[in-house]
Amino acid sequence: MATKLKSQSDHVSKQVNAETNPRFVAVSVLENVAKGGYSNLSLNASLDDAQLSAVDAGLCTEIVYGVLQHQMTLDFWLKPFIKQPAKVKPWVLILLRTALFQMQYLDKVPTRAVFDETIQIAKQRGHEGIRRFVTGVLHAVDRHGFADLATIKDPLTRLSTTYSVPMPWVQQMRKTVGDDKTKQILASINQPAFQSVRLNPALGERQALLPQLTAAGLKWTDSEVSGEGLRINAGHPAGTPPFNEGLITIQDESAMLPVEALAPQPGDAVLDACAAPGGKTTQIAARLNPSQGGHVTALDLHAHKVALIEANARRMQVADRVTAEQLDARKAAQQFGDEAFDRILVDAPCSGLGLLRRKPEIRYAKTLADSKQLQQIQLAILDAVAPTLKKNGILVYSTCTILKQENDDVATAFVKAHPDFELVPVKTVHHLKENRSTPWLTIYPDDFGSDGFFVCAFRKRHDND
């Protein structure tokens, strides 16, 4: 290591300001995530409260997501230097992870600054014993370096540790896509997520909207995934006039595909059964014409999420064709009766493993048992909405996971239980994976650099089909 540390007695004495120090804020955010908070929400709330410069906010963000993405790798490197891990306070372990992450992954951050501030945070948040412990671990790491991941003998354990994905998920991926594809997926999920937006055709043709994005300082390339998507290369869409006025909304490219597959027509009555926060609801609504009777009913379990759907509909200027209701989608048949809708979207609650690039904590928070329980919920929702679809209507089922048991298996089980439904090929604007052997479409995180997504379409047969 190029930069040697100060001696144990020569640690800095300067106080770290919890509101203006990016490393202090990062530790607090990671603590909250460890207790069950979402990384994006916890980080955004902390950055709103903190007094960080743009550069420091960027460093804080990089540390938070980096530690979550590489947590198992960091713990592998820490293990030789912590004799009694059970006695280490959770926040102290998090603090040490942040230090090692900066040392290994952030080339432009001076090692001396990392160690000085880490030791000071340990002293300020803890006591003299914690400061000595943290200092001792950092000195030991400085002397001995980082263990080589190649020394892990078992190939699967090495893969799991290298990419920091718990073994059950690695095993599930291998069963579904094989060794080579699993490695490609794992190598992709710790890369930075692309920023993308969706244009709002309700407010004008594409060529009329694009100059307004340019005027707002945004640069982009057309999405190769979605017909309405743009991948942002420069600028920050949130808060710009095009965003505030509803010309665009922030949405992952893969997340735009379920509505492409649904292909709502201007006069359709549409049900968005699991709608919050309303990204797909507004995408559906933009294709509808209220004067022709086009309308989307959007459901969510929670009142505050219903309010989010309504707020999104207002911002996107499609509120005249959206009704948001607080309702469990599993009660849809009782609420709406038979054959109420021309098209139905079930973007179901799922394990979310397609979102690991954006929400890295999911890999540690979810279990296989959670996935099996979610499968039952997914099937229950599909069962409940099936009677409300008109004959010859289209039902699209989508998830943001890449697990077979929540995707292929659910689609197959639904058709088996509902002989009046048939699978139909999913079609997209850019003709994605047209040579696939299945009617459904699976997008993996390494395919296009977008989120992992599953999209499946069913048609409800006529009685004489």
Side-chain angles (χ1 to χ4, degrees):
M1 190 170 295
T3 305
K4 287 295 178 183
L5 300 178
K6 298 179 180 182
S7 68
Q8 203 166 358
S9 60
D10 193 25
H11 62 87
V12 287
S13 58
K14 183 179 178 181
Q15 286 280 306
V16 171
N17 188 322
E19 293 183 347
T20 61
N21 185 278
R23 295 176 175 90
F24 206 116
V25 175
V27 171
S28 297
V29 172
L30 288 165
E31 278 186 279
N32 193 45
V33 174
K35 294 173 184 175
Y38 293 108
S39 58
N40 57 334
L41 300 180
S42 300
L43 180 62
N44 290 341
S46 294
L47 292 179
D48 286 344
D49 293 339
Q51 301 169 21
L52 301 181
S53 67
V55 171
D56 282 347
L59 175 59
C60 178
T61 300
E62 199 164 14
I63 292 172
V64 168
Y65 282 108
V67 168
L68 291 172
Q69 287 170 336
H70 301 285
Q71 181 173 304
M72 292 172 61
T73 314
L74 297 168
D75 287 349
F76 171 77
W77 286 328
L78 276 171
K79 186 176 180 180
F81 308 109
I82 300 178
K83 295 179 180 178
Q84 296 178 299
K87 293 186 177 181
V88 180
K89 293 181 181 293
W91 74 264
V92 176
L93 178 59
I94 289 169
L95 177 63
L96 288 167
R97 287 173 182 157
T98 66
L100 266 64
F101 169 74
Q102 292 170 81
M103 292 169 65
Q104 276 292 82
Y105 295 100
L106 301 185
D107 295 337
K108 295 181 180 179
V109 178
T111 302
R112 181 179 294 273
V114 173
F115 280 72
D116 283 353
E117 291 204 10
T118 301
I119 293 168
Q120 184 56 41
I121 292 169
K123 177 184 177 182
Q124 200 165 314
R125 283 204 50 176
H127 48 68
E128 181 61 18
I130 288 176
R131 182 200 64 79
R132 285 199 303 270
F133 170 74
V134 168
T135 305
V137 170
L138 297 182
H139 274 274
V141 172
D142 189 46
R143 286 193 304 272
H144 298 288
F146 294 82
D148 188 350
L149 291 159
T151 60
I152 302 174
K153 293 182 179 179
D154 178 66
L156 275 189
T157 304
R158 185 166 60 249
L159 197 64
S160 171
T161 306
T162 299
Y163 295 110
S164 198
V165 174
M167 183 68 77
W169 301 134
V170 175
Q171 292 169 331
Q172 286 297 309
M173 286 185 205
R174 287 178 73 242
K175 286 180 183 178
T176 303
V177 297
D179 286 337
D180 291 343
K181 185 66 172 178
T182 295
K183 290 176 184 177
Q184 291 169 23
I185 293 170
L186 294 177
S188 75
I189 58 173
N190 292 333
Q191 301 302 312
F194 290 108
Q195 188 174 204
S196 58
V197 300
R198 176 173 55 79
L199 293 168
N200 183 4
L203 298 184
E205 297 291 332
R206 182 185 187 87
Q207 294 309 313
L209 300 179
L210 292 178
Q212 299 182 63
L213 274 61
T214 302
L218 301 177
K219 296 182 180 180
W220 67 88
T221 53
D222 289 342
S223 171
E224 61 177 317
V225 180
S226 167
E228 294 175 346
L230 301 173
R231 185 169 286 185
I232 302 299
N233 302 319
H236 301 283
T240 61
F243 179 85
N244 293 336
E245 295 164 14
L247 277 64
I248 57 172
T249 194
I250 297 169
Q251 190 174 15
D252 183 78
E253 296 161 273
S254 294
M256 304 174 199
L257 296 176
V259 176
E260 285 192 10
L262 189 67
Q265 300 304 300
D268 281 347
V270 183
L271 176 65
D272 187 355
C274 310
K280 296 178 186 67
T281 302
T282 58
Q283 188 179 1
I284 293 167
R287 298 178 177 219
L288 303 179
N289 187 334
S291 67
Q292 297 180 34
H295 198 82
V296 55
T297 301
L299 309 181
D300 194 84
L301 270 171
H302 306 288
H304 72 281
K305 291 188 176 181
V306 171
L308 285 177
I309 298 168
E310 293 171 336
N312 266 321
R314 288 193 297 271
R315 182 178 63 81
M316 300 295 285
Q317 301 188 47
V318 292
D320 60 335
R321 60 203 85 168
V322 174
T323 299
E325 297 186 22
Q326 183 180 358
L327 182 73
D328 186 333
R330 289 170 289 188
K331 298 179 180 179
Q334 299 105 289
Q335 180 75 4
F336 303 111
D338 291 347
E339 300 187 24
F341 301 103
D342 299 288
R343 294 173 196 261
I344 298 175
L345 173 63
V346 175
D347 186 46
C350 68
S351 57
L353 289 184
L355 308 180
L356 291 182
R357 194 180 281 115
R358 298 180 191 279
K359 297 180 179 180
E361 71 277 8
I362 289 173
R363 67 189 83 182
Y364 315 116
K366 301 288 186 179
T367 66
L368 284 176
D370 294 330
S371 181
K372 290 176 182 177
Q373 184 179 14
L374 283 162
Q375 185 192 66
Q376 298 308 308
I377 294 171
Q378 292 153 358
L379 284 167
I381 293 172
L382 289 172
D383 290 342
V385 303
T388 71
L389 186 65
K390 295 177 182 178
K391 296 291 194 299
N392 206 39
I394 297 297
L395 165 61
V396 166
Y397 170 73
S398 62
T399 74
C400 55
T401 193
I402 54 177
L403 296 179
K404 182 175 179 290
Q405 61 261 34
E406 296 179 55
N407 295 341
D408 313 26
D409 292 352
V410 168
T412 303
F414 176 73
V415 168
K416 184 177 181 180
H418 296 268
D420 54 334
F421 280 80
E422 63 177 347
L423 285 159
V424 294
V426 167
K427 297 180 180 179
T428 63
V429 172
H430 291 319
H431 310 290
L432 300 177
K433 296 188 173 183
E434 281 211 324
N435 295 325
R436 65 186 185 271
S437 60
T438 60
W440 50 73
L441 172 66
T442 304
I443 303 295
Y444 293 101
D446 64 309
D447 288 341
F448 303 102
S450 57
D451 289 344
F453 242 85
F454 175 83
V455 186
C456 184
F458 311 90
R459 184 180 73 89
K460 192 172 190 178
R461 304 174 193 265
H462 278 291
D463 293 335
N464 58 356
D465 281 0

